[in-house]
Amino acid sequence: MTNETNSNENHAKNKPPLSVTGSDYAYDKWNEIIQLPSIGPIKAFTKDYNEYFSELLVLTKTLIDLYGSLNGYWIQMNGAYTQALNNVGKKKLPNSDPWDSEQFRMILIDAFEDAFTSLFTSKDFAKAYNEVSNNQIELINCVHRIFEKNLETLRLPTRSELDVILEDINELKKNIRDMRKELESVTIHGRASNSV
Amino acid sequence: MEERAILSRETGTSEYEKVIKRSIDEGPTVQEEVLRKLNKTREILSESEDVQVGMTPNEVLYETRLFRLLHYRPIVNKTARIPILVVYALINKSYILDLQPNKSWIRNLLSQGFDIYLLDWKSPANADKYTSFDDYVNYFIDDSVDILRNRNSVDKITLHGYCMGSSMSVMYTTLHQEKIKNLVTIAPVLDTRKDTTVIANLARYMDIDKLVNSIGNLPSQKLYECYSALKPFKQGVNKYYNLVQNIDNDSFVQNFMRIEKWLYDTPPIAGETARQWIKDVYQRNLLFNNELRLGRKTVNLSKINVPLLNIVAEEDHLVSAECSVPLNEAVSSDDKRLMRFHTGHVGLIASSYSQNNVLPKVGQWLKSRSN
């Protein structure tokens, strides 16, 4: 509550002087209205809307990041392709008559293999690949968060809640297996001592 | 052009008719032959589902949602007293060990008089994302080992792993050595700091926490991406060229199709297992440093003192020989042997080379320690 009061005071201090434009006036009024406790439900509704909106903004930013990382990835791939062509150029090409296509094919394969394998074993490529991969995952995460929000609205269990249950079930299964093993061991020892 | 037209008029036949006549007289041209082979290749590749693999007769002894324990029917009258449990990797499917009768690792061991069992891992579902190495090693392998011991009335068995399955066999042996008579590993992933492969390079920089936390299991697609970067031209492109060239050779085509089926039969890996595999084994090298935790226990390689046979391939581009070899130094066994072969990761277990050069030596080593 104190934080909210402080925030309102700060907002009042920081707000730009009222201009003659209608949009500034409307913005100021809207801010004042949604912060009135008596119309809290409206603020709550706006908060929900804002969360969706910010999630969409993150989605857009992630798409831009993904595009950037893919560019970095393709620059390296194109570099390897150019390197392979240079390697072919450096090799002595067959000049036999008739044309020895098999020898030429092997030169091509070797040149491309060397260039791309050296790319794939490089630290830079591994980093670029991981960056693309991370951005792809972030894209999935954005969609997940939006869906989780929808599930909460519908009062349905979210994936995070199901994960907690799955983890508990896995732990329970282990405990049951431990108990079963111990029971078997006790039974075997019991039989052995009885027979003695 | 005008001259040709005149000639045609003189002989009374068109250019087109001449070409057809020449094709019939001289056989198909190079272009026509290539086109025929390409069409045949396309037809064969589209029928890949009919490929038969894993044909050695077996029965399912035990089955859960995540694994099956198979027992192979003996093909000789007398089998060795100590049974062998083969632990396959969590990557692709176990039928690579029984790909076709004349290149089957399993069938060869059966013919040498061994009693063979196989742990055949099933694809984890999304609900299995919390399944970890602790489950695989301390529960699934341990349950299977106990079944073999009871069934064969023996205290100890031979544990035999392949690739990631070798690493799991090593983990199991350090924690349950009292149940193990011999340990046989093929291309174990161990000292990942020395691994120079593309897979190790990609794994070192992978943000596996983010992937597992977001997606759950490590998806097949991710594994395909890594595989496609392994020898992309010498194997990736060249193999299809060789297929077209040999498309009329039934034996070559069948062999190609079986390997191809296996290559693209990739299940996902359970999330927590993938996290440990990438983070603890590849990025932190905890398995080799004796710091890997499975549940409440720590895996310590120096505790292993059972007879060890470690088999590596010099041209392995999935697990470097340098990554597997240090196992022999890390264990305390007095009876230990390292076998190196000039072949690749798959060639080590599913090739004519393996049948002629690897398996006879493996069988010899096992025979003297299985009664």
Side-chain angles (χ1 to χ4, degrees), chain A residues 101-102 105-106 108-110 112-114 116-117 119-123 125-127 129-130 133-138 140-141 144 159 162-164 166-168 170-171 173-175 177-178 180-181 184, chain B residues 62 65 126-132 134-135 138-140 142-143 146 179 196-198 201-202 205-207 210-211 213-216 222 225-226 228-235 237-238 241-242 296:
Chain A
S101 61
E102 183 58 22
R105 188 177 71 82
M106 289 319 294
L108 276 179
I109 293 276
D110 285 345
F112 275 83
E113 184 69 36
D114 290 349
F116 278 88
T117 298
L119 172 70
F120 295 150
T121 46
S122 74
K123 193 174 168 179
F125 178 80
K127 282 182 175 173
Y129 173 79
N130 184 50
S133 183
N134 275 354
N135 282 323
Q136 283 176 333
I137 293 167
E138 199 45 57
I140 294 168
N141 282 346
H144 275 177
R159 207 197 73 171
L162 287 175
D163 278 353
V164 173
L166 285 176
E167 196 170 9
D168 285 351
N170 193 59
E171 203 54 42
K173 275 161 69 179
K174 279 187 185 181
N175 289 340
R177 281 184 301 210
D178 281 341
R180 181 174 55 84
K181 288 243 169 192
E184 280 171 6
Chain B
Y62 183 63
R65 235 159 39 78
N126 287 333
D128 298 311
K129 61 185 274 188
Y130 289 102
T131 306
S132 64
D134 181 31
D135 295 278
N138 289 325
Y139 296 94
F140 306 155
D142 193 43
D143 284 350
D146 285 345
K179 301 178 185 177
T196 54
T197 60
V198 172
N201 185 44
L202 295 180
Y205 295 94
M206 189 183 278
D207 190 347
K210 189 181 182 101
L211 198 149
N213 293 343
S214 308
I215 299 177
K222 207 79 205 148
E225 284 171 16
C226 293
S228 62
L230 304 169
K231 299 212 174 239
F233 291 89
K234 277 190 178 157
Q235 287 186 1
V237 176
N238 214 24
Y241 175 84
N242 288 336
R296 288 183 289 272

Side-chain angles (χ1 to χ4, degrees), chain B residues 267-312:
Chain B
I269 299 178
E272 282 309 311
T273 308
R275 194 199 303 270
Q276 277 183 295
W277 186 242
I278 301 292
K279 201 170 167 179
D280 293 351
V281 176
Y282 272 101
Q283 294 176 353
R284 298 177 175 168
N285 206 14
L286 296 186
L287 176 59
F288 186 66
N289 292 335
N290 296 328
E291 291 170 19
L292 182 72
R293 301 273 307 170
L294 296 190
R296 288 183 289 272
K297 297 168 184 168
T298 305
V299 173
N300 185 348
L301 302 176
S302 66
K303 284 187 179 170
I304 296 180
N305 55 32
V306 300
L308 165 74
L309 171 60
N310 189 17
I311 305 160
V312 299

